[in-house]
Each structure stands twice: as structure tokens, then as C-alpha cells.
């Protein structure tokens, strides 16, 4: 060892104490506004079903229809991979996992729609449909046939439909309470939000419901649907979506991009309305930055091109959906909408290919980081966090197995959780 250095300082301890004290309020604000990822599973998609079309067999029916489409238009791994451009070495494992997913858990998140997919109905009819939805959702969770996440999209907070949206929410939530309580996977989606005050109004509704039933404050969260230009850029030039997250008072769980309403709002011609249009990219980039660090997750929208008809037409639609999904994943939009059972095979094919083709590299980099082994990439703590999140998302959706990730990284699920989110506790992530 060399000569021990003499350490000298010039500032009194009071200077450090004063500076630290001056930042106390900022520290508290950072912790409140940017708590980080919640550390829970994020579904890879949301399936929308009109309120009058949802039945106890809807989820299984979607899975069966998706399997039938595979059998008819891509009956084996080679034909499926050829249609989508999946690498040869991944053709068999992806095809096998897609089929297993459609048999086991075809839908990860289901929204019973009382907005655009349902439309205006007589009050008595919508009341009955909302009560029926509550009964069926409750029964699904009780008998084990539910999707991991389920809920409703009510009508928005605009004057013409505000009262109806409030009543449908009340009927649905009351029905759940009467049937045994709110399920853990409950999700509510508030559409067509243009002003933060509409978010505040919805928060007030949920607060009143919690108080009426003696529920813990904050028990009910919700997604904010971004479908208008005003939700991205307010009249005063500020990012309205950031103010909406703040107005939710910690209840916002997601920002969902509405491809076609938003495209129409900014004047995109119908033939060019798609999730990869530059207007869509701008909106989602603003959403992404506004949500970063808040624990609010961002979801892409949908395609309206349905995989129906003869095989060549189905393959064209599949390639489009597969490509859009892969594009979204590369841009860190890990969730999207699926509007037809025929979209399920390509949703899972895109997701599974994304995680399986990056498995060995991600696992190797994380293992090297933990072992301080270096390698040809110098990763930082933030990258270790991202690598863990990548592997966890792959495990959660069925693309990866926990055992194979553990074998490649030497890390348990608890280790990955601790790296991925400070809310999960555990490891202290430091630099190499």
C-alpha cells in the first residue's frame, strides 16, 4: 500500500447541514412524485369487449378462436415463423409458448367497455349491463377463470355523458362489493380526458365510493386514456398529461394511447391513422416522459386491421400487427390494445420473440454486473435495473421461465425484483 493521504477540508460542518436542510422539501417532493415502478406485473395487452357482449365464456372463447386461427392459417412452427419473419432458431419455442399461452391464459387484461364500444343506451339497459358485468367479474375471480386484470371503461367526464359515466362506475363497483369485495386485479379506465380537472373529478368520485364502503383511502386506482391533443399540450403550452398524473393524487396506474381518436383529433386522414404515425410517436413520447419515474405505466394503442378472410389476407394483417407490436416494445411501450381474437397469436409471438432473442445477452450482462466481471459493455446501476425489468417482464408473460433465467444469471426472482424496483426492497444497487 502507498502512503496514507492526509485529508483536509475547508468548510465547517454547519455548511453541509444547512444545505441538506434546504433540500428537505425537495427530497420529500421527489419521493412523492417519483416513487419509481410499483414492482407489479404489467399486462402485455388490454382486450376490449363491449358491455353487452361480455359473458362468462368470453376469455375462453377468445383463446379458442385464436387457436383456431393458428390451426387454419399457420398450423405448425415453420409456417407461423415464415409468415411473421421469426428467426429459425426461435420458431419452435415461440410457437410452442404461444399455443400454451392461448390454452392457459389467452387474455392478460380485459376491459368491459361502456364507452365507444358500447355507445349510448337507455339508462335502464346500461344499469343492467353494468350490474351484470360486476356479477360476472366477481364470479370469474371466485372460480379461477378471470384474467389477471379485469375492469370497465366507463363514459368520460364531459358534460353530455358525465352523469352516465358516474352511475355506471357506481353500479359496477357496488355490484362487486355486494358480491364479496373488490378483486385485486380490478382496473378502471377513464377515457377522453382533456383537462386535469376531469381527473380531479374522477378522484372525487372514487374517494366518495371508498368513504361510503369504509375502504382504505386510495384503494381505487385508474388508467387515464390519452385520446385528444389537449391531453398532450394544454392551451397554455404546458404538458397537460403531466398535470393529469399530478391531479390523480397517486391513483393513476397507466396512460393509454387511443390511436384513432387522437389521430382524428389532430387531423390525420383515416388511411394513415396508425400507432406508428409521427403524430402518434410524438404523443406517446410526451406520455412516456411525463410518466417516467412516477410509477404510472404507458400503453400503446391498437390496430384496426383485423386478421380475417383468406390466409394471405390473415398473414398480411398478422405481419402488420406483429411489426407494430415489436416496434412498440423497442420503444419501451410494453402494453397495447387487442381488439380481435385473431390478434392474440401475433401479440404473444411478438412479445415472446422480443424477450427470447434478448435473453442470453441480458442475462449475461446482468450476471457480469453482479459479479463485477466487466466484459465488453460497462453497465451502470440504472442499466442493471433495466436488465432486471426486462427479464421479469419476460417471466411474467410466459416468454421466459424463472428457472432458465436463474441458471443464466445466478439470481433468484427475489434478487431480480430487488434490482428492478426500489419498492420491492432487498439489494442495494451500486456501481461496478
Amino acid at each position: 500500500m502507498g502512503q496514507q493521504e492526509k485529508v483536509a477540508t475547508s468548510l465547517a460542518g454547519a455548511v453541509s447541514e444547512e444545505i441538506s436542510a434546504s433540500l428537505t422539501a425537495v427530497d420529500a417532493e421527489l419521493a412523492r412524485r417519483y416513487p419509481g415502478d410499483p414492482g407489479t406485473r404489467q399486462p402485455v395487452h388490454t382486450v376490449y369487449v363491449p358491455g353487452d357482449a361480455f359473458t362468462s365464456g368470453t376469455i375462453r372463447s377468445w383463446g379458442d378462436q385464436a387457436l383456431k386461427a393458428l390451426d387454419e392459417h399457420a398450423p405448425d412452427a415453420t409456417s407461423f415463423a415464415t409468415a411473421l419473419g421469426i428467426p429459425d432458431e426461435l420458431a419452435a419455442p415461440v410457437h410452442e409458448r404461444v399455443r400454451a399461452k392461448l390454452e392457459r391464459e389467452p387474455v392478460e387484461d380485459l376491459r368491459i367497455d361502456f364507452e365507444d364500444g358500447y355507445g349510448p343506451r337507455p339508462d335502464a339497459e346500461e344499469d343492467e349491463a353494468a350490474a351484470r358485468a360486476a356479477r360476472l367479474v366477481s364470479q370469474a375471480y371466485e372460480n379461477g377463470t378471470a384474467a389477471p386484470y379485469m375492469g370497465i371503461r366507463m363514459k368520460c367526464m364531459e358534460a353530455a355523458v358525465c352523469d352516465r359515466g358516474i352511475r355506471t362506475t357506481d353500479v359496477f363497483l357496488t355490484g362487486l362489493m355486494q358480491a364479496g369485495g373488490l378483486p385485486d386485479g380490478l382496473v378502471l379506465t377513464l377515457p377522453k380526458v382533456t383537462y386535469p380537472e376531469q381527473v380531479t373529478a374522477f378522484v372525487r368520485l372514487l374517494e366518495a365510493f371508498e368513504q361510503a364502503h369504509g375502504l382504505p383511502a386510495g384503494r381505487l386506482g385508474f388508467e387515464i386514456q390519452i385520446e385528444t391533443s389537449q391531453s398532450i399540450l394544454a392551451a397554455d403550452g404546458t404538458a397537460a398529461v403531466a398535470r393529469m398524473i399530478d391531479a390523480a393524487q397517486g391513483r393513476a396506474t397507466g396512460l393509454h394511447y387511443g390511436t384513432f381518436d387522437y389521430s382524428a383529433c389532430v387531423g390525420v386522414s383515416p388511411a394513415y391513422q396508425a400507432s406508428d404515425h409521427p403524430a402518434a410517436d410524438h404523443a406517446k413520447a410526451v406520455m412516456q416522459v411525463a410518466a417516467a419515474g412516477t410509477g404510472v405505466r404507458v400503453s400503446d394503442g391498437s390496430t384496426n386491421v383485423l386478421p380475417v378472410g383468406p390466409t394471405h389476407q390473415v398473414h398480411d394483417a398478422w405481419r402488420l400487427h406483429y411489426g407494430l407490436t415489436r416496434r412498440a416494445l423497442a420503444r419501451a411501450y410494453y402494453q397495447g390494445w387487442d381488439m380481435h381474437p385473431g390478434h392474440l397469436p401475433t401479440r404473444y409471438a411478438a412479445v415472446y420473440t422480443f424477450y427470447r432473442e434478448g435473453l442470453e445477452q441480458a442475462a449475461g450482462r446482468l450476471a457480469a454486473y453482479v459479479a463485477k466481471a466487466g466484459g465488453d459493455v460497462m453497465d451502470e446501476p440504472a442499466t442493471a435495473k433495466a436488465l432486471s425489468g426486462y427479464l421479469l417482464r419476460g417471466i411474467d408473460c410466459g416468454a421466459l421461465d424463472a428457472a432458465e433465467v436463474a441458471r443464466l444469471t445466478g439470481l433468484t426472482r427475489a434478487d431480480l425484483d430487488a434490482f428492478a424496483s426500489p419498492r420491492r426492497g432487498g439489494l442495494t444497487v451500486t456501481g461496478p
Side-chain angles (χ1 to χ4, degrees):
M1 298 295 290
Q3 179 181 345
Q4 185 174 0
E5 296 292 339
K6 181 180 179 180
V7 178
T9 62
S10 302
L11 301 177
V15 174
S16 177
E17 293 173 3
E18 180 184 350
I19 291 173
S20 295
S22 72
L23 294 172
T24 299
V26 171
D27 292 338
E29 184 74 348
L30 281 171
R32 182 183 73 83
R33 289 183 181 272
Y34 303 103
D37 189 84
T40 55
R41 174 182 178 180
Q42 180 179 12
V44 301
H45 69 170
T46 301
V47 161
Y48 277 80
V49 177
D52 57 341
F54 176 68
T55 71
S56 60
T58 292
I59 293 175
R60 186 62 264 153
S61 174
W62 272 59
D64 291 342
Q65 290 179 68
L67 286 166
K68 182 180 178 181
L70 267 181
D71 290 338
E72 181 176 352
H73 302 293
D76 54 48
T78 299
S79 58
F80 193 47
T82 299
L84 300 180
I86 297 172
D88 291 343
E89 65 274 15
L90 292 178
V94 167
H95 183 260
E96 178 184 344
R97 286 174 182 268
V98 168
R99 289 197 66 92
K101 180 73 168 182
L102 295 175
E103 291 167 356
R104 181 187 73 255
E105 187 184 74
V107 175
E108 291 196 355
D109 183 26
L110 185 140
R111 207 69 70 249
I112 305 165
D113 192 12
F114 289 95
E115 202 230 359
D116 284 350
Y118 184 75
R121 306 287 181 97
D123 283 339
E125 183 178 340
E126 185 160 341
D127 281 351
E128 184 176 356
R132 177 172 164 274
R135 175 176 57 81
L136 292 176
V137 167
S138 181
Q139 289 175 353
Y141 277 105
E142 184 177 348
N143 63 28
T145 62
Y149 299 94
M150 297 181 74
I152 65 168
R153 177 171 70 168
M154 67 293 297
K155 292 176 172 63
C156 69
M157 291 287 102
E158 294 178 356
V161 293
C162 179
D163 289 345
R164 183 63 259 180
I166 290 172
R167 183 170 176 84
T168 297
T169 304
D170 186 11
V171 170
F172 177 72
L173 293 177
T174 300
L176 290 177
M177 292 298 297
Q178 291 177 340
L182 305 180
D184 290 338
L186 176 65
V187 187
L188 304 174
T189 303
L190 179 65
K192 292 185 176 58
V193 181
T194 53
Y195 283 82
E197 289 80 2
Q198 293 168 329
V199 175
T200 301
F202 197 65
V203 168
R204 175 70 190 98
L205 168 62
L206 300 184
E207 287 176 340
F209 189 88
E210 289 167 350
Q211 292 166 6
H213 289 272
L215 296 169
R219 168 64 181 85
L220 290 163
F222 61 98
E223 302 164 338
I224 300 171
Q225 204 164 344
I226 304 301
E227 302 178 90
T228 66
S229 61
Q230 296 92 340
S231 61
I232 294 296
L233 187 69
D236 61 2
T238 60
V241 65
R243 294 168 55 202
M244 290 174 184
I245 292 173
D246 189 52
Q249 300 177 33
R251 293 177 184 266
T253 59
L255 302 174
H256 283 229
Y257 177 68
T259 303
F260 303 102
D261 281 288
Y262 188 90
S263 297
C265 181
V266 297
V268 178
S269 297
Y272 299 96
Q273 293 177 0
S275 61
D276 59 351
H277 190 280
D281 285 341
H282 171 260
K284 287 180 287 188
V286 175
M287 291 163 56
Q288 190 173 46
V289 173
T294 64
V296 178
R297 282 142 168 190
V298 176
S299 173
D300 200 359
S302 62
T303 176
N304 60 357
V305 179
L306 304 184
V308 297
T311 294
H312 72 87
Q313 188 171 315
V314 170
H315 284 186
D316 286 344
W318 272 357
R319 278 190 288 271
L320 173 66
H321 185 240
Y322 178 89
L324 290 173
T325 303
R326 286 301 308 267
R327 185 180 189 273
L329 289 167
R331 286 158 175 75
Y333 309 132
Y334 299 114
Q335 185 175 354
W337 299 10
D338 288 327
M339 310 301 289
H340 186 274
H343 286 141
L344 299 185
T346 39
R347 169 67 61 183
Y348 292 121
V351 170
Y352 289 3
T353 304
F354 175 75
Y355 288 114
R356 293 212 64 81
E357 69 185 8
L359 168 60
E360 291 192 5
Q361 183 187 58
R365 286 175 65 178
L366 186 57
Y369 176 87
V370 173
K372 305 296 187 285
D376 58 356
V377 178
M378 187 188 304
D379 286 323
E380 297 185 352
T383 306
K385 176 180 178 180
L387 290 167
S388 297
Y390 173 88
L391 296 171
L392 285 167
R393 284 190 294 272
I395 293 171
D396 285 343
C397 71
L400 310 176
D401 296 326
E404 67 179 333
V405 173
R407 175 175 55 81
L408 292 169
T409 63
L411 300 174
T412 66
R413 171 71 192 236
D415 294 332
L416 294 174
D417 283 340
F419 270 119
S421 173
R423 294 204 211 179
R424 308 184 197 213
L427 297 175
T428 298
V429 181
T430 58

